[in-house]
């Protein structure tokens, strides 16, 4: 979808001037297209008006942009600017709790727990590593603990299912 999107709107100016209904059709396949189209247009305008058409790298400026939360801001910081940043999505939160790296449910608190426990030079890649683990072995339902290379260290081995919240009592000690 992005290939066609960026071909059609090949500048921030074009995105900022886009008609919302038309942009909604262009991004329809991604779901939540109404809110996304609204935010994309508002974000393009904000980048032009407040940042001279450049994407900022500091967390405050990024999260002040329409539609940009802490997760997206950290993706941009890590992947665009190479600034050590921990991205917490549903896989990362669940596995962090199962491994006892966090006892928190709030993604921002999980982010700070991981920053405390994981060396800074692993912050950017830990997200991709945990997502890969979450999609292959440490799935939300019925994780394959017997095949998991972390089974000897993991406090949730054989007990995990769901978001990891039930493992909080025993994990992280
Ligand atoms: S041992 Fe099980 S719960 Fe622990 S990380 Fe591996 S798959 Fe997940």
């Amino acid at each position: 979808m992005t290939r066609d999107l960026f071909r059609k709107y090949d500048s921030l100016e074009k995105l900022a001037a886009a008609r919302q209904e038309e942009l909604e059709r262009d991004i329809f396949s991604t779901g939540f297209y109404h809110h996304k189209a609204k935010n994309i247009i508002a974000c393009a305008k904000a980048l032009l008006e407040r940042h001279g058409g450049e994407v900022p790298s500091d967390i405050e400026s990024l999260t002040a942009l329409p539609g940009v939360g802490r997760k997206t801001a950290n993706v941009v910081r890590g992947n665009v600017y190479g600034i050590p940043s921990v991205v917490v999505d549903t896989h990362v939160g669940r596995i962090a709790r199962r491994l006892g790296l966090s006892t928190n449910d709030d993604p921002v608190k999980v982010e700070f727990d991981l920053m405390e426990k994981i060396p800074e030079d692993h912050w950017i890649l830990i997200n991709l590593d945990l997502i890969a683990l979450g999609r292959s072995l440490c799935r939300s339902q019925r994780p394959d603990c017997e095949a998991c290379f972390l089974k000897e260290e993991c406090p949730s081995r054989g007990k995990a299912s769901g978001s990891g919240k039930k493992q909080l009592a025993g994990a992280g000690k």
Side-chain angles (χ1 to χ4, degrees):
M1 192 278 292
T2 50
R3 188 193 54 196
D4 294 337
L5 184 76
F6 292 135
R7 195 173 284 156
K8 179 171 175 180
Y9 304 94
D10 60 2
S11 69
L12 270 178
E13 286 78 4
K14 284 187 189 168
L15 271 177
R19 283 181 51 247
Q20 187 171 327
E21 301 74 30
E22 188 175 343
L23 187 56
E24 285 178 11
R25 283 195 293 277
D26 294 329
I27 64 168
F28 180 79
S29 63
T30 67
F32 302 109
Y33 53 86
H34 180 68
H35 279 296
K36 284 180 185 168
K38 197 171 147 198
N39 280 331
I40 288 171
I41 293 169
C43 187
K45 285 181 180 165
L47 286 172
L48 288 168
E49 287 162 12
R50 291 186 228 151
H51 300 286
E54 297 289 326
V55 177
S57 61
D58 64 288
I59 196 95
E60 291 79 18
S61 300
L62 282 166
T63 53
L65 292 167
V68 179
R70 205 169 164 97
K71 184 176 80 172
T72 301
N74 279 328
V75 169
V76 171
R77 280 163 60 80
N79 291 278
V80 176
Y81 292 107
I83 300 168
S85 311
V86 174
V87 177
V88 177
D89 69 356
T90 176
H91 292 293
V92 174
R94 179 180 72 250
I95 298 170
R97 287 186 288 274
R98 286 178 175 175
L99 287 171
L101 296 172
S102 178
T103 55
N104 286 300
D105 196 26
D106 175 0
V108 178
K109 289 184 178 161
V110 175
E111 180 190 326
F112 279 86
D113 288 340
L114 290 175
M115 286 195 289
E116 208 180 286
K117 290 176 178 140
I118 291 174
E120 198 174 309
D121 58 345
H122 288 265
W123 287 3
I124 295 175
L125 287 180
I126 192 74
N127 161 262
L128 298 177
D129 292 339
L130 293 185
I131 286 175
L133 182 63
R135 287 184 177 154
S136 56
L137 296 166
C138 197
R139 301 176 295 264
S140 172
Q141 301 300 324
R142 301 201 310 151
D144 191 353
C145 295
E146 283 317 301
C148 182
F149 57 94
L150 292 171
K151 65 183 175 188
E152 299 306 330
E153 285 80 29
C154 180
S156 303
R157 174 187 174 184
K159 297 182 270 182
S161 71
S163 67
K165 290 178 210 167
K166 287 192 181 125
Q167 284 79 53
L168 291 183
K173 287 184 179 167

